Amino acid sequence: MLLVFFQKKFIPIALLIVIFSIIYFFISNIGDPTQKNISNNSHFEMKTAYLIAPIDEPFIDILSANKKFIASEVKNIPWSFEQHAYWLKITIKNKQNEVANLVSHFDNPMLDELSIFQVMDTGEVIKQQQGDLQNIIAFTQRTAPHFKFKVSPFEETSLYVRIATTGIANTPIYVYQNDDFRVLVQDIHLLW
């Protein structure tokens, strides 16, 4: 009789423990996905600025208009539905004595056009295009648009990001170390 009573109570208690364990996992691991953002890391210094330009303004003209960029945090950019291009300049300084493997994450998978340009010290420009208007794009780029790049020890690099879309252009941008971004993507996929 005691065994039957124990079996009836055990199943609901075990289910409650499993449910609370899952909730604890999500709260502790996914509660604040931006906590590993390098802006919270003393090994890096990050500055952001923006420029609103005509939709067809070429990158070379944006580079020459460098002084017109307005220093601002990404969350304070006056995003709107108007048809123009937002150019963001993200400057990252690596203050440690090893190469930093970083990933910029653009937390808006609904963008029509997303172009990222990394300007190297040598003048070389690395370009990557993403967004809904691109026909061939990897699944991870569609779900979590990102750009991988490196910053040499005690060096600085600049990313120029062009955002143009028919919807809301508001795009939170976070920069992570490569391993932290990989964990973030795994957590996002687990949540789905």
Side-chain angles (χ1 to χ4, degrees), residues 86-183:
Y86 292 90
W87 283 92
L88 287 76
K89 181 181 179 186
I90 305 167
T91 306
I92 299 156
K93 183 175 184 176
N94 180 2
K95 299 193 290 185
Q96 55 190 351
N97 62 356
E98 58 188 45
V99 173
N101 294 305
L102 302 176
V103 180
S104 56
H105 175 218
F106 308 94
D107 200 6
N108 183 351
M110 303 298 289
L111 297 173
D112 292 337
E113 297 177 47
L114 173 63
S115 302
I116 304 108
F117 303 83
Q118 180 183 14
V119 180
M120 309 297 283
D121 290 340
T122 60
E124 177 188 7
V125 176
I126 299 171
K127 179 183 178 184
Q128 184 179 56
Q129 288 187 296
Q130 302 176 29
D132 291 343
L133 299 181
Q134 297 298 313
N135 293 331
I136 301 171
I137 201 164
F139 176 73
T140 55
Q141 287 290 7
R142 287 205 184 276
T143 59
H146 63 278
F147 177 72
K148 293 182 178 185
F149 62 101
K150 295 181 182 191
V151 184
S152 299
F154 303 107
E155 293 291 327
E156 185 175 274
T157 193
S158 293
L159 300 180
Y160 290 84
V161 180
R162 181 185 178 275
I163 296 173
T165 191
T166 54
I168 187 70
N170 187 354
T171 304
I173 299 172
Y174 306 103
V175 180
Y176 299 96
Q177 292 187 56
N178 197 36
D179 292 339
D180 293 332
F181 179 73
R182 192 175 69 255
V183 170

Side-chain angles (χ1 to χ4, degrees), residues 67-81:
K67 292 182 179 172
K68 293 182 182 178
F69 275 82
I70 300 165
S72 174
E73 291 184 35
V74 173
K75 66 181 179 182
N76 297 329
I77 294 172
W79 304 102
S80 73
F81 285 102

